Amino acid sequence: MSFETTATIASFGGKLLKLAHQAKSTSCQMKLNLYIPPSASSSKPAPVLFYLAGLTCTGDNGAEKGFFQNMASKKGIAVVYPDTSPRGLGIAGEDDAYDFGSGAGFYVDATKEPYAGKYNMYSYITKELPEALFAEFKELDGKRVSITGHSMGGHGALTLFLKNPGMYKSVSAFAPITNPSKCPWGEKAFGGYFGDDQKSKWAEHDATELISKFSGETDVLIDVGTGDNFYKQKQLLPENFEEAAKKAGKNVKVRYHDNYDHSYFFISTFADDHVEHAAKYLFAYKLGQRQKL
Amino acid sequence: MSFETTATIASFGGKLLKLAHQAKSTSCQMKLNLYIPPSASSSKPAPVLFYLAGLTCTGDNGAEKGFFQNMASKKGIAVVYPDTSPRGLGIAGEDDAYDFGSGAGFYVDATKEPYAGKYNMYSYITKELPEALFAEFKELDGKRVSITGHSMGGHGALTLFLKNPGMYKSVSAFAPITNPSKCPWGEKAFGGYFGDDQKSKWAEHDATELISKFSGETDVLIDVGTGDNFYKQKQLLPENFEEAAKKAGKNVKVRYHDNYDHSYFFISTFADDHVEHAAKYLFAYKLGQRQKL
């Protein structure tokens, strides 16, 4: 068995598994939470929603405070809550800042030393983790996967969706970093993981750049609170993403909510909507009938 | 103003206030959270649900992880999340154990030194806090109040309801300590706050003793998980409470849920039910019509 189950916790009629496994892409043990809804079984596997968390978080924050299980249970959707970086690699300085290194993997494969070859959260989330999960948990339907995330994890959700046409049935995000090449968090992370001279790598992981060139259809749901200090400080820049999408003729809906901040109080308030957004696509192919989305 | 508002956080359409005030009954500053639903105003004040938290908790645990705001917003109910003890009094040893002293006030007025006159959580929750809140927040209807709680807070909810006929419209509890005189947690707390020779005081704060003598009608909702280690270790003893209620002809419904544990994953799963239970009584007197409960 590739996963160790360290706890099984009843939640909203289903079960939340605390998992750990040795990951090759990140050269360390990775922890995560997996919610399996009550309707799921090996004969009726559940579609899967990945929730990518933000800076400083682990897979626990969303599972404890996001309230995704409420609607996921009702809809019959499994939820994967991965960690946000490798842990304990012993790289000098990796634990020094809240916005770089551990807890801040930014869902990229680093190319710059000393992070190259180890900080590979892009490969981990798009390839190693889903392959391992779908091989082991027959209650999960690896052919129906959607993705969402918060802040740095919203950046992750948007870029992973846009870089991998067909991999995810839908995408949504809470207060995402949408134009990392042009905000302080992104500049620091991309500078550290790719190097300041590798601007082509930056563009490859910038949702605003990616949507300009995306060839498929989109229906992107984004929620942002106008009381969010990071929005005010221009770390998120959803307007840039909206504008790029509009120019490219892509369907992106950004909802601005008065007074809401960047916290899990904001996420939990709109969690139902994001699970329902995913459900619309995860259940679009039912009973063998291919419906047009 | 008796309260300092240290933060105002948007949540489920309403607002969560982080409050602090100097409390006379506990001789210290007390912190709490107050959720005001979107429907509340001074011309249409909302009824109020007190949520009493368990050992080690503060007013933050329920507000962040309990999921009460979801249904409270829909029903138009305010939620008060108080702290679980005085803080920082400097009593020797008060911070040494998770189940006694700070974080473990047990919702009693201590009579034994060095806690006497300071650890007065009973007076604080039943008198000082509601009086201060209802004087200051005109969006709250102090005439319509219900109470619920978890573990030690479930004990608090049950005993405060049973000791004060008419004060609360309804009561419910998650995994409550129902017979503290007969479980290790209760023996330690009551021994420390009242003394081992004051068994009459113990009985005055023991829900199983109290329901035997309660003269009013009851409709008590209790949820317990069968996977709860504290239930298995006989800290909760809901069967004793059920039996006493049955003998006294009181209506108590204990729901035993397979596999659920003692955590906020358990609480959040059933939070909607407890808010709805309170709503049934908080809104029983509508439009001037007195309905029989």
Side-chain angles (χ1 to χ4, degrees):
Chain A
M1 303 290 272
S2 75
F3 290 95
E4 178 193 359
T5 302
T6 58
T8 301
I9 302 168
S11 173
F12 287 95
K15 55 189 179 181
L16 187 77
L17 304 182
K18 294 200 161 290
L19 303 175
H21 69 139
Q22 283 297 325
K24 287 179 186 168
S25 47
T26 56
S27 307
C28 66
Q29 187 195 63
M30 296 294 288
K31 292 179 181 172
L32 63 140
N33 288 292
L34 168 63
Y35 179 68
I36 300 179
S39 59
S41 65
S42 54
S43 59
K44 197 194 166 198
V48 181
L49 177 63
F50 275 73
Y51 169 79
L52 304 185
L55 289 168
T56 77
C57 291
T58 69
D60 289 346
N61 301 69
E64 292 177 2
K65 302 195 287 188
F67 294 115
F68 296 100
Q69 280 106 265
N70 177 53
M71 188 57 72
S73 171
K74 288 175 186 161
K75 293 286 183 185
I77 295 173
V79 187
V80 180
Y81 302 95
D83 204 347
T84 55
S85 76
R87 299 283 173 179
L89 293 179
I91 298 174
E94 74 176 330
D95 300 330
D96 290 357
Y98 84 97
D99 56 359
F100 187 74
S102 58
F106 266 83
Y107 307 100
V108 300
D109 287 349
T111 56
K112 187 179 171 188
E113 294 297 341
Y115 294 92
K118 293 169 184 162
Y119 269 63
N120 288 332
M121 288 301 289
Y122 179 79
S123 293
Y124 175 69
I125 299 290
T126 57
K127 199 165 160 57
E128 184 174 6
L129 177 59
E131 284 177 4
L133 282 173
F134 302 147
E136 183 153 328
F137 294 95
K138 300 303 179 190
E139 308 95 316
L140 307 181
D141 183 353
K143 296 200 176 81
R144 289 183 294 160
V145 180
S146 283
I147 193 161
T148 186
H150 170 233
S151 195
M152 175 184 74
H155 144 75
L158 293 171
T159 55
L160 270 50
F161 176 87
L162 293 168
K163 286 173 70 63
N164 297 281
M167 183 178 283
Y168 303 103
K169 299 291 184 197
S170 68
V171 64
S172 70
F174 302 83
I177 302 169
T178 66
N179 198 2
S181 307
K182 300 210 170 144
C183 75
W185 277 340
E187 288 167 357
K188 179 173 180 179
F190 287 5
Y193 294 133
F194 300 136
D196 287 331
D197 54 346
Q198 299 294 317
K199 288 297 164 76
S200 66
K201 290 294 290 181
W202 291 38
E204 284 174 28
H205 292 274
D206 186 310
T208 297
E209 300 280 349
L210 287 167
I211 199 156
S212 301
K213 298 163 192 159
F214 189 70
S215 61
E217 288 184 33
T218 62
D219 177 11
V220 184
L221 171 65
I222 292 176
D223 283 314
V224 178
T226 62
D228 181 333
N229 283 329
F230 301 116
Y231 169 63
K232 294 181 196 171
Q233 292 163 13
K234 300 196 183 300
Q235 295 278 20
L236 311 179
L237 302 170
E239 295 87 354
N240 294 10
F241 185 68
E242 275 186 295
E243 195 183 323
K246 195 177 174 184
K247 273 190 193 162
K250 303 299 172 190
N251 181 17
V252 168
K253 184 175 191 179
V254 182
R255 307 190 300 188
Y256 295 89
H257 302 281
D258 283 352
N259 301 320
Y260 280 86
D261 64 15
H262 202 68
S263 74
Y264 275 83
F265 290 112
F266 158 65
I267 297 172
S268 58
T269 298
F270 300 104
D272 277 3
D273 291 354
H274 287 247
V275 176
E276 288 185 318
H277 179 77
K280 197 165 59 172
Y281 294 96
L282 292 171
F283 294 107
Y285 299 90
K286 267 192 178 168
L287 305 168
Q289 295 180 321
R290 291 188 164 251
Q291 301 174 0
K292 174 134 178 67
L293 296 186
Chain B
M1 304 290 269
S2 75
F3 290 93
E4 178 192 0
T5 302
T6 59
T8 301
I9 303 168
S11 173
F12 287 95
K15 56 187 177 181
L16 187 77
L17 305 181
K18 293 198 163 290
L19 303 176
H21 68 140
Q22 284 296 326
K24 287 180 186 166
S25 46
T26 57
S27 308
C28 66
Q29 188 194 62
M30 296 294 289
K31 293 180 179 170
L32 64 141
N33 287 292
L34 167 63
Y35 179 68
I36 300 179
S39 59
S41 67
S42 55
S43 60
K44 195 193 166 197
V48 181
L49 176 63
F50 275 72
Y51 169 78
L52 304 185
L55 290 168
T56 77
C57 291
T58 69
D60 289 346
N61 301 69
E64 292 176 5
K65 302 197 288 187
F67 204 32
F68 295 100
Q69 281 104 262
N70 176 54
M71 187 58 71
S73 171
K74 289 175 184 161
K75 293 286 182 184
I77 295 173
V79 187
V80 179
Y81 302 96
D83 203 347
T84 55
S85 76
R87 301 282 174 180
L89 292 180
I91 298 174
E94 73 177 331
D95 298 331
D96 291 355
Y98 83 97
D99 56 359
F100 186 74
S102 58
F106 266 84
Y107 307 101
V108 300
D109 287 351
T111 55
K112 188 181 169 188
E113 293 300 336
Y115 294 93
K118 294 169 183 162
Y119 268 63
N120 288 332
M121 287 301 289
Y122 178 81
S123 293
Y124 175 69
I125 299 290
T126 57
K127 198 165 162 59
E128 184 173 8
L129 176 60
E131 284 178 4
L133 283 172
F134 302 146
E136 183 152 329
F137 294 96
K138 299 303 179 190
E139 309 96 315
L140 306 182
D141 182 352
K143 295 201 176 80
R144 290 182 293 158
V145 180
S146 283
I147 194 162
T148 186
H150 170 233
S151 194
M152 175 184 74
H155 144 75
L158 293 171
T159 54
L160 268 51
F161 176 87
L162 293 168
K163 285 173 69 66
N164 295 282
M167 184 178 282
Y168 303 103
K169 299 290 184 198
S170 68
V171 63
S172 70
F174 302 83
I177 301 169
T178 66
N179 197 1
S181 307
K182 299 211 171 143
C183 76
W185 277 341
E187 289 168 358
K188 180 175 179 178
F190 287 4
Y193 294 133
F194 300 136
D196 287 331
D197 54 346
Q198 298 295 316
K199 289 297 164 78
S200 65
K201 290 295 289 181
W202 292 37
E204 284 173 29
H205 292 274
D206 186 309
T208 297
E209 300 278 349
L210 287 166
I211 199 157
S212 302
K213 298 164 192 158
F214 190 70
S215 60
E217 287 183 34
T218 64
D219 176 11
V220 183
L221 171 65
I222 292 175
D223 282 316
V224 178
T226 62
D228 181 332
N229 282 330
F230 301 117
Y231 169 62
K232 294 181 197 171
Q233 292 163 13
K234 301 197 180 303
Q235 295 279 20
L236 311 179
L237 302 170
E239 295 86 353
N240 293 9
F241 186 66
E242 275 186 294
E243 195 184 321
K246 195 175 173 186
K247 273 191 194 162
K250 301 300 171 190
N251 180 19
V252 168
K253 184 176 190 177
V254 182
R255 307 189 301 188
Y256 294 90
H257 301 282
D258 283 352
N259 301 319
Y260 280 86
D261 64 15
H262 201 70
S263 75
Y264 274 84
F265 290 112
F266 158 66
I267 297 172
S268 58
T269 298
F270 301 103
D272 277 2
D273 292 354
H274 287 246
V275 176
E276 287 186 318
H277 179 77
K280 197 164 58 170
Y281 294 96
L282 292 171
F283 294 108
Y285 300 89
K286 268 191 177 168
L287 305 169
Q289 294 181 322
R290 292 189 164 248
Q291 300 173 359
K292 175 133 179 67
L293 298 186

